[in-house]
């Protein structure tokens, strides 16, 4: 039996998505989406209500940041983590590599509901997975190109593995936040 990296990287992510991550997002409520498990959380907030150093976005909602990031960084909410996945993990890579619409933290219209965020997550994930599947062995071996900045010379395979790691760990963090929400006092 031979090893096919193109098949394995897709299988790694699609198995995690189908068997663990996406089922754990079923039934996400707006209350959970915005819930702040600790004081001083970074969140997605109505425009004009943030006290963070940076609150950016194009619509009625903004996402919070600081530059440089404080040590330790604030706890982030489900809303913050989902929107980080939408913009910084999947959205920007879909735009750069798979014909997705351009996205950026400042220009993104952050969803004000859990349902809105999950609908975008499903759309962005489907585009990413379709693009990765289409790469094949040859595509995984080519350089990422200038969209990936100082990683431009790294292979698309390295980028795909990085995005797999990002999705797996951020979606696991969201699952933990949901567990904490379910068992809060």
């Amino acid at each position: 039996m031979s090893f096919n990296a193109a098949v394995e990287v897709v299988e790694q992510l699609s198995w995690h998505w189908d068997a663990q991550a996406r089922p754990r997002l079923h039934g996400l409520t707006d209350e959970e989406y915005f819930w702040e498990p600790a004081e001083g959380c970074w969140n997605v907030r109505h425009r004009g209500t943030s006290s963070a150093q940076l609150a950016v976005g194009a619509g009625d909602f903004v996402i919070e940041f600081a530059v440089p990031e404080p040590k330790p960084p604030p706890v982030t909410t489900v809303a913050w983590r989902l929107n980080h996945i939408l913009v910084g993990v999947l959205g920007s890579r879909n735009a750069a590599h798979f014909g997705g619409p351009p996205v950026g933290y400042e220009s993104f219209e952050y969803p004000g509901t859990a349902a809105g965020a999950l609908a975008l997550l499903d759309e962005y994930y489907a585009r990413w997975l379709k693009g990765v599947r289409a790469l094949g062995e040859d595509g995984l071996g080519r350089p990422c190109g200038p969209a990936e900045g100082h990683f431009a010379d790294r292979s698309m395979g390295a980028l795909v593995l990085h995005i797999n790691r990002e999705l797996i760990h951020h979606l696991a963090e969201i699952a933990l936040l949901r567990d904490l929400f379910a068992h809060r006092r």
Side-chain angles (χ1 to χ4, degrees):
M1 181 158 80
S2 64
F3 178 77
N4 183 324
V7 170
E8 297 300 328
V9 296
V10 168
E11 176 63 21
Q12 178 190 54
L13 182 57
S14 63
W15 182 90
H16 178 72
W17 177 265
D18 293 336
Q20 294 180 330
R22 192 58 181 92
R24 291 281 287 145
L25 295 171
H26 179 72
L28 181 69
T29 66
D30 291 348
E31 185 180 5
E32 289 175 282
Y33 182 65
F34 291 115
W35 177 61
E36 297 189 9
E39 199 169 313
C41 284
W42 279 345
N43 207 341
V44 171
R45 301 186 191 280
H46 284 281
R47 182 173 297 287
T49 64
S50 174
S51 60
Q53 179 191 25
L54 295 171
V56 299
D60 293 335
F61 289 85
V62 295
I63 195 167
E64 298 177 312
F65 288 98
V67 177
E69 186 176 271
K71 302 272 189 246
V75 173
T76 56
T77 64
V78 170
W80 193 97
R81 290 168 194 264
L82 279 175
N83 282 282
H84 168 62
I85 291 169
L86 290 173
V87 177
V89 178
L90 291 175
S92 62
R93 274 35 183 261
N94 280 338
H97 304 288
F98 302 127
V103 296
Y105 285 103
E106 295 83 9
S107 62
F108 193 68
E109 290 197 28
Y110 295 95
T113 65
L118 291 177
L120 284 175
L121 181 65
D122 289 340
E123 175 188 332
Y124 286 19
Y125 170 78
R127 182 184 296 270
W128 174 255
L129 194 63
K130 180 181 177 185
V132 171
R133 277 192 172 120
L135 288 171
E137 288 285 331
D138 290 341
L140 287 172
R142 71 173 166 77
C144 294
E148 297 302 327
H150 62 279
F151 296 108
D153 292 334
R154 297 289 307 268
S155 70
M156 282 297 293
L159 175 65
V160 169
L161 290 172
H162 170 68
I163 297 305
N164 283 5
R165 284 190 306 265
E166 285 286 297
L167 289 170
I168 290 167
H169 96 257
H170 285 307
L171 292 166
E173 291 166 338
I174 291 168
L176 174 60
L177 285 170
R178 292 200 74 196
D179 290 342
L180 291 171
F181 180 85
H183 296 281
R184 71 196 184 286
R185 294 179 191 213

